[in-house]
Amino acid sequence: MRGADASRVVAITGASSGIGEAAARRLAADGHSVFLGARRTGRLEALCAEIGAAGGTAAFRRLDVTDAGDVRGFVAAAAQRYGRVDVLVNNAGVMPLSPLAALEVEEWDRMIDVNLRGVLHGIAAALPVMRARGAGHIVNIASVGAYEVSPTAAVYCATKFAVRAVSEGLRQESDGRIRVTLVSPGVTESELADHIGDPAAREAMKAYRAVALPAAAVADAIAYAVSRPPEVDVNEIVVRPAASAQ
């Protein structure tokens, strides 16, 4: 458990499963107060209860990251409950893969809305709050898809390339008071692949995801970046399974 003087208020989007859930558990165990957002409030309620039972501090609010006003409300609710927001983890994401020729335009739009606009909405909500306090940390969760493109994943990778660009731009624009970290996991145990509708892409993912990181490994990377002293800004972390060639 971290000392009280080192504890932070951490808001996490997409916290009902996968990396977001693992990050909530790890950061709460480290002594941070976590404020969790997702659409599945039943899962958030259960997670907060588990964290509380283990001696941690957690609360939640329903969140749709595609709604800029809802994200502003989420950050405001975290600040109201805990008095401030030190860290925002932009984690919410979707991955309905398909070949471009399948013309799944609605799925493309959904990925852009959640994976990219959701991150921008988070930045727009948290940045004024952090700048007013003179300190803050934004952690954006991307993917190894931010560095490479694979068949059926062109739009997904495009959103992650964009998150990488936005993160670097925000870092360059910061005067040092706002830290920016991009965490890019390789294949990770999560529900992302469960929502792939294209049959061929779904089958290809089974082989691609045969070797996967536990979500807790990515949570460890997030926790490392968050735990650095204010004068240290960890900008990019890529985490892959050791046995993976991707």
Side-chain angles (χ1 to χ4, degrees):
M1 181 72 71
R2 299 171 60 89
D5 59 339
S7 65
R8 296 178 172 87
V9 174
V10 185
I12 306 173
T13 72
S16 61
S17 65
I19 293 170
E21 178 183 355
R25 294 181 189 278
R26 170 59 195 272
L27 293 170
D30 283 353
H32 304 301
S33 299
V34 297
F35 194 77
L36 312 179
R39 292 180 300 165
R40 295 178 291 187
T41 55
R43 290 195 176 192
L44 294 179
E45 184 175 14
L47 177 57
C48 286
E50 290 179 25
I51 289 172
T57 302
F60 72 93
R61 182 182 189 275
R62 187 188 186 281
L63 174 64
D64 178 358
V65 298
T66 69
D67 183 333
D70 200 26
V71 182
R72 286 194 300 271
F74 171 71
V75 171
Q80 182 177 23
R81 184 173 186 94
Y82 295 123
R84 66 187 196 277
V85 175
D86 299 309
V87 183
L88 172 66
V89 180
N90 277 315
N91 167 71
V94 294
M95 191 183 69
L97 305 184
S98 63
L100 289 171
L103 303 179
E104 296 287 355
V105 177
E106 291 185 2
E107 291 186 349
W108 301 347
D109 289 343
R110 179 67 177 164
M111 281 188 280
I112 292 168
D113 286 343
V114 175
N115 298 357
L116 177 54
R117 286 197 177 94
V119 167
L120 292 171
H121 292 163
I123 291 170
L127 196 56
V129 174
M130 294 176 176
R131 287 177 62 88
R133 289 191 64 244
H137 191 175
I138 292 177
V139 180
N140 294 328
I141 308 302
S143 162
V144 292
Y147 302 86
E148 59 193 31
V149 181
S150 56
T152 76
V155 177
Y156 175 77
C157 292
T159 64
K160 297 303 185 178
F161 267 76
V163 169
R164 181 182 170 203
V166 167
S167 301
E168 175 61 10
L170 182 59
R171 183 196 69 79
Q172 292 185 21
E173 292 172 9
S174 173
D175 58 5
R177 297 179 301 167
I178 310 298
R179 301 190 295 171
V180 182
T181 299
L182 181 76
V183 178
S184 296
V187 178
T188 304
E189 295 171 357
S190 73
E191 297 179 353
L192 278 179
D194 297 346
H195 305 291
I196 298 174
D198 183 87
R202 188 168 58 248
E203 286 303 310
M205 265 300 103
K206 288 181 180 179
Y208 185 82
R209 298 177 68 83
V211 178
L213 288 168
V218 185
D220 290 343
I222 297 168
Y224 172 78
V226 169
S227 70
R228 297 306 87 196
E231 66 274 14
V232 177
D233 191 3
V234 178
N235 300 135
E236 295 191 33
I237 302 177
V238 178
V239 186
R240 291 184 173 94
S244 174
Q246 283 83 16

